[in-house]
Amino acid sequence: MTFTPRIFSGIKPSGDLHLGNYLGAIRQFVPLQDTHETIYCVVDMHAITVWQEPEDLKRRTYEIAAAYIAAGLDPKRSIIFNQSQVMEHAELSWIFNCVARMGWMARMTQFKDKAGENSENVSLGLFAYPSLMAADILLYKSTAVPVGEDQRQHLELTRDIAKKFNHDFRKQIAELGFEEDFFPITETLATGPAMRVKSLKDGSKKMSKSESTSDLATIYLLDDADAVAKKIKRATTDPEPLPSEAAGLESRPEAENLVGIYAALSNQSVDAVLAGFGGKGWGAFKPALADLAVSVLSPIANEMQRLVADRGEMDRILRDGADRARAIAAPVMADVRQIVGFIR
Ligand code: ATP
Ligand code: MG
């Protein structure tokens, strides 16, 4: 059985979008719409696995959808919507809760990281999160998912759920006329060099929406030019000048991060950046990086602001995306109900 090549990815409105979300995810989504059927979701149901002020949740949902569009996604070619508008996500995730095993879920390192010492007191949803993520992906029989390193283990779990479902219900799947598998075994899509943006204050931590300890550690997509420049100029560095090649960045996580950001924003290799800056100090590099970051991010921020100001238009885009998503999801869910033995 061959599956239509289809890509799904999402970002949760759990905090304000940052440079890591842009370089590691949103920017990578754009070229895929030329080659694949693409579905990009704002996963609001994932966000509420930790407490969200309802007003903030709404604002951030609009902002992420606006960021997708401002970064170059075309809502006509890509399906852009917020997850909670397509209730089949919740329905399939319940069925997957009954497919996934406790032992599989208990191995998820992101749960352990996010729950920390507090694991008795976090929501049940946070534990079940990867099963909802599997539902997001498999509801559209997605064949590939572009995600960062931090989501790799969840994608493995998605494959385990698909395999177990295909196996446990193989008789019913065959009776329904499917020759082999019902769900595809979704691949992790490598989208060029995986840029992991680190905190500007601590090169051992990733830049993150919900775990930032200092406002200076994170460049937000809606920061104005002054804030972007200030944060880069105050970024933690070591006292050494820049090396002339990438190998010289080893054991210098803060330097590696800033040079990596420069390379990503200018679409060059790290070696090419260092060919220009090798031997120079931070006093030369940081202002150049600040100018570059402002020149790339300002137009995106401006376009985001323009879009979020037009709620009517944003609502139309999200509703249209949800309708197109549901058109794919509803028949899949109807088959799933029949396969598991639910009467309709
Ligand atoms: P949270 O702290 O709430 O988990 P987050 O910033 O990690 O938020 P997610 O919604 O978990 O954001 O991830 C959205 C996408 O952004 C994923 O594809 C993830 O791989 C990518 N991403 C997140 N942080 C970074 C980063 N620092 N560098 C590169 N990519 C990132
Ligand atoms: Mg995350």
Side-chain angles (χ1 to χ4, degrees):
M1 157 126 207
T2 47
F3 292 92
T4 309
R6 188 177 285 142
I7 282 173
F8 179 95
S9 200
I11 297 185
K12 57 183 185 300
S14 54
D16 294 329
L17 282 175
H18 54 80
L19 182 64
N21 298 136
Y22 175 66
L23 291 177
I26 301 173
R27 190 177 76 157
Q28 316 276 359
F29 296 169
V30 179
L32 297 172
Q33 63 183 353
D34 297 328
T35 49
H36 292 75
E37 213 182 288
T38 42
I39 304 176
Y40 296 118
C41 193
V42 184
V43 285
D44 45 8
M45 288 159 62
H46 282 281
I48 62 164
T49 55
V50 300
W51 170 251
Q52 304 296 329
E53 283 298 332
E55 277 310 312
D56 290 337
L57 183 68
K58 271 190 208 167
R59 172 178 58 79
R60 289 169 174 152
T61 300
Y62 285 120
E63 282 174 4
I64 294 180
Y68 285 167
I69 297 165
L73 289 178
D74 172 0
K76 295 211 166 57
R77 283 193 289 158
S78 290
I79 295 179
I80 295 174
F81 71 110
N82 59 308
Q83 184 184 29
S84 59
Q85 287 208 60
V86 180
M87 66 187 180
E88 284 84 351
H89 287 255
E91 192 181 354
L92 186 59
S93 89
W94 178 257
I95 292 171
F96 286 173
N97 282 345
C98 303
V99 173
R101 305 290 92 186
M102 286 295 283
W104 302 358
M105 306 300 280
R107 278 195 290 274
M108 295 295 111
T109 55
Q110 190 173 100
F111 175 77
K112 291 182 209 162
D113 292 348
K114 295 218 170 198
E117 310 271 279
N118 201 23
S119 66
E120 290 293 305
N121 221 359
V122 295
S123 74
L124 177 57
L126 189 68
F127 188 69
Y129 182 115
S131 147
L132 176 59
M133 179 165 155
D136 300 337
I137 295 166
L138 295 174
L139 187 54
Y140 304 98
K141 298 192 174 182
S142 310
T143 51
V145 176
V147 282
E149 196 52 49
D150 48 348
Q151 296 298 332
R152 216 163 256 275
Q153 197 187 26
H154 290 165
L155 212 57
E156 268 163 40
L157 185 97
T158 300
R159 289 191 278 269
D160 289 340
I161 289 177
K163 282 181 204 157
K164 186 163 163 57
F165 185 96
N166 289 339
H167 178 266
D168 290 355
F169 296 104
R170 60 194 177 284
K171 182 165 153 273
Q172 292 74 16
I173 290 169
E175 277 167 12
L176 212 60
F178 291 92
E179 277 165 20
E180 280 169 53
D181 290 344
F182 182 75
F183 286 122
I185 308 304
T186 310
E187 287 168 41
T188 309
L189 196 78
T191 50
M195 174 70 200
R196 296 275 80 200
V197 180
K198 302 289 170 30
S199 156
L200 297 183
K201 286 289 168 194
D202 179 351
S204 70
K205 295 211 172 77
K206 86 173 191 82
M207 197 176 273
S208 150
K209 281 195 243 98
S210 54
E211 279 155 48
S212 181
T213 44
S214 143
D215 244 13
L216 287 173
T218 310
I219 295 179
Y220 296 104
L221 283 192
L222 284 174
D223 277 345
D224 62 26
D226 287 348
V228 171
K230 180 172 113 188
K231 288 175 184 184
I232 289 172
K233 286 175 189 159
R234 297 213 192 152
T236 304
T237 46
D238 53 36
E240 304 295 318
L242 282 104
S244 300
E245 43 196 59
L249 292 169
E250 231 169 86
S251 320
R252 297 179 64 185
E254 282 85 11
E256 186 177 21
N257 188 40
L258 292 182
V259 175
I261 292 171
Y262 193 105
L265 287 173
S266 61
N267 296 308
Q268 294 179 73
S269 68
V270 166
D271 278 317
V273 175
L274 292 176
F277 284 100
K280 294 196 177 138
W282 296 105
F285 182 80
K286 281 180 169 180
L289 177 58
D291 287 348
L292 171 65
V294 167
S295 74
V296 174
L297 299 178
S298 280
I300 296 173
N302 292 341
E303 181 62 2
M304 278 175 73
Q305 300 282 17
R306 191 188 69 77
L307 286 161
V308 292
D310 190 352
R311 285 250 167 135
E313 176 63 6
M314 290 306 296
D315 284 336
R316 266 193 298 282
I317 290 171
L318 293 173
R319 220 176 301 121
D320 174 64
D323 288 344
R324 285 151 60 207
R326 207 176 301 111
I328 303 172
V332 173
M333 203 56 228
D335 286 345
V336 169
R337 285 186 209 110
Q338 238 185 298
I339 288 168
V340 301
F342 290 165
I343 293 171
R344 270 272 157 169

